[in-house]
Amino acid sequence: MRHALVFGGTGQIGFPLLGLLHRDGWRITAVSRSPQADEPGLQWLQGGLGDVAGLPSRADAILSCGPLDGFAHWYAQSRIECPRVIAFGSTSVEVKRGSADAAERDVARRLREGEEGVFATAARRGAAATLLRPTLVYGVGRDATLTRIATLARRWQRFPLPRGANGLRQPVHVDDLASAAFACLPVAETHGQAYALPGGETLTYRDMIARVLACLTPPPTLVELPSPLFNAALFVAQLTGRATGLGEAAVRRMRSDLVFDASPAQRAFGYAPRAFHPRAEMFEPRRERD
């Protein structure tokens, strides 16, 4: 029986991936920071990348659905024999590389170094690694962007945007990302490759937010403000702690196209993500699976 070691198994991508592996007959060892109940064919280990005990000495595949830099460091230090590795990164490796925000540039650097580290370690060990780069993730109330926007909009019953927030986006559902990782497992063409995983529809930032608001009950109002007024409102929100993480660089990106080509993933392993049809339950804030 094939054996998979999964990091981030209680996360928004990892949890549906466990289901796919289980239904395909894999024996799974999954890692979680909190206690989990074992199930037939699924063993849970408690801990983080740096302190988990009881890891197997060999596996047929290692899949990482958590932070890439942490996984790359663990993988370089590990002694597990494994011929196949799949790890999630992010398209932020490209999007934030030239950001005016130093913290965002650091995110891009850590992603880039994480990718390079995974590929280099796999090459030394004769293993086949694949890196997957999602765009804007949504689906189960665990993302840091659309769920956060929906939460604020519910609270305020309105959500402000600067006029001209028409940069293109491709939101991607977590189930499509889990399916992508599962689909590329047996495909030799994906060895040593990194793939962008955008969603199945390209739409403007404004329209993306409008669809999120429209699915809430009652639907909050989308308020488009002139840039000077929006910037003033953002400054006040930052001072009061209501806009943590929303900096000038992030606002500028609302007007920039962040579009990625899905065709390499489509050709290699049949990647076919869904269009963006949000529902309110997709943006109910949730913790990791207990």
Side-chain angles (χ1 to χ4, degrees):
M1 180 181 290
R2 295 162 298 174
H3 183 193
L5 173 62
V6 180
F7 291 97
T10 56
Q12 59 181 343
I13 301 171
F15 186 59
L17 178 57
L18 293 183
L20 293 172
L21 292 167
H22 186 266
R23 288 190 290 274
D24 195 46
W26 287 73
R27 179 167 64 92
I28 305 165
T29 300
V31 179
S32 172
R33 290 184 299 271
S34 58
Q36 306 291 328
D38 290 349
E39 302 173 20
L42 172 60
Q43 177 193 13
W44 286 98
L45 301 178
Q46 186 177 354
L49 282 166
D51 59 3
V52 61
L55 289 170
S57 60
R58 190 189 185 285
D60 296 291
I62 298 174
L63 301 105
S64 170
C65 305
L68 179 59
D69 54 348
F71 173 73
H73 178 75
W74 171 86
Y75 184 43
Q77 303 297 319
S78 73
R79 296 292 180 267
I80 296 177
E81 296 180 18
C82 183
R84 188 72 171 106
V85 176
I86 296 176
F88 279 93
S90 170
T91 51
S92 291
V93 70
E94 298 180 9
V95 170
K96 297 181 178 180
R97 181 173 51 187
S99 173
D101 188 309
E104 291 189 347
R105 292 196 304 273
D106 185 62
V107 168
R109 177 190 59 79
R110 287 188 284 110
L111 285 167
R112 182 179 65 255
E113 291 176 355
E115 288 190 356
E116 292 170 352
V118 170
F119 281 135
T121 301
R124 288 197 305 271
R125 299 180 180 181
T130 303
L131 270 294
L132 302 177
R133 300 169 173 172
T135 53
L136 199 159
V137 180
Y138 75 98
V140 291
R142 301 269 302 282
D143 62 276
T145 302
L146 294 182
T147 292
R148 184 166 176 268
I149 287 171
T151 299
L152 293 173
R154 284 187 178 106
R155 184 183 307 161
W156 300 336
Q157 274 307 294
R158 60 184 58 83
F159 193 81
L161 280 182
R163 287 179 185 165
N166 292 320
L168 297 179
R169 294 295 187 273
Q170 299 165 304
V172 60
H173 195 281
V174 293
D175 287 350
D176 294 330
L177 298 175
S179 295
F182 178 75
C184 74
L185 261 173
V187 181
E189 182 182 342
T190 67
H191 296 179
Q193 302 297 316
Y195 295 92
L197 297 182
E201 182 177 2
T202 301
L203 69 167
T204 67
Y205 192 96
R206 182 204 178 280
D207 289 346
M208 178 180 70
I209 299 305
R211 289 192 197 180
V212 171
L213 301 187
C215 78
L216 305 179
T217 304
T221 301
L222 178 61
V223 181
E224 294 182 88
L225 301 174
S227 290
L229 185 56
F230 179 84
N231 291 338
L234 178 61
F235 179 72
V236 172
Q238 290 171 334
L239 285 178
T240 57
R242 290 180 292 175
T244 303
L246 185 59
E248 181 181 348
V251 173
R252 281 203 303 270
R253 279 198 298 274
M254 295 178 187
R255 298 188 175 96
S256 301
D257 295 343
L258 305 182
V259 178
F260 295 85
D261 185 6
S263 60
Q266 291 167 348
R267 289 192 299 268
F269 51 91
Y271 180 59
R274 70 198 69 188
F276 186 57
H277 298 301
R279 302 187 306 273
E281 60 268 24
M282 295 178 178
F283 308 109
E284 294 290 343
R286 304 175 194 177
R287 297 179 300 173
E288 287 192 353
R289 175 176 175 259
D290 294 325

